[in-house]
Amino acid sequence: MAVRISCRRVYEETSPEDGKRVLVDRVWPRGMRKEDAHLDEWLRDVAPSTELRRWYGHEPEKYDEFRRRYRAELRDAGHREAAGHLRELAAHDGVTLLTATKDVEHSQAAVLAEWLAGRSRR
């Protein structure tokens, strides 16, 4: 049985199908109260580095390079423990990766969902 991994905005309503709700942003979502997020975990250490996030700037034309750089970061010492913990969560439960980003398809949550599912677009 395949484990379900999805990603969406943290501002959306919760769903019974969410499974574990994990925020994967480095900074807290603007205007969101902690009790309204209904999170199981906030894994800020799995998020892209500040430098990579600023370079990317959510420009869709940079997404392929962002994905490549971010996947490389997931293997570095600063991300390895949080990335391993996220893999462990995904292996046992359905997981919904949450982000404040408006363009979820071109976000770190989308890269993480692809990475957790073991898929590569290259």
Side-chain angles (χ1 to χ4, degrees), residues 14-48:
T14 61
S15 167
E17 291 88 40
D18 280 349
K20 294 283 187 188
R21 292 174 49 85
V22 181
L23 180 64
V24 294
D25 288 352
R26 188 164 297 278
V27 296
W28 188 257
R30 193 170 293 174
M32 172 68 67
R33 295 181 342 174
K34 291 194 182 198
E35 57 271 11
D36 293 339
H38 303 287
L39 299 179
D40 291 296
E41 296 201 37
W42 177 17
L43 283 178
R44 57 176 77 88
D45 290 339
V46 79

Side-chain angles (χ1 to χ4, degrees), residues 3-4 13 17 27 35 46-47 62 64-65 67 70 75 79-80 85 88-89 93 95 102 105 117 122:
V3 175
R4 189 192 55 74
E13 291 292 321
E17 291 88 40
V27 296
E35 57 271 11
V46 79
K62 292 181 176 179
D64 286 340
E65 181 62 16
R67 182 190 323 104
Y70 182 37
R75 293 186 299 269
H79 289 81
R80 194 174 304 130
H85 179 65
E88 185 71 22
L89 285 175
D93 298 299
V95 174
K102 289 180 183 175
E105 284 186 46
R122 292 198 181 249

Side-chain angles (χ1 to χ4, degrees), residues 8 25 27 34-35 53 57 77 79 81 87 101 111 113 120:
R8 60 191 179 104
D25 288 352
V27 296
K34 291 194 182 198
E35 57 271 11
R53 184 175 50 83
H79 289 81
E81 185 176 335
R87 273 198 192 274
T101 306
V111 175
S120 176

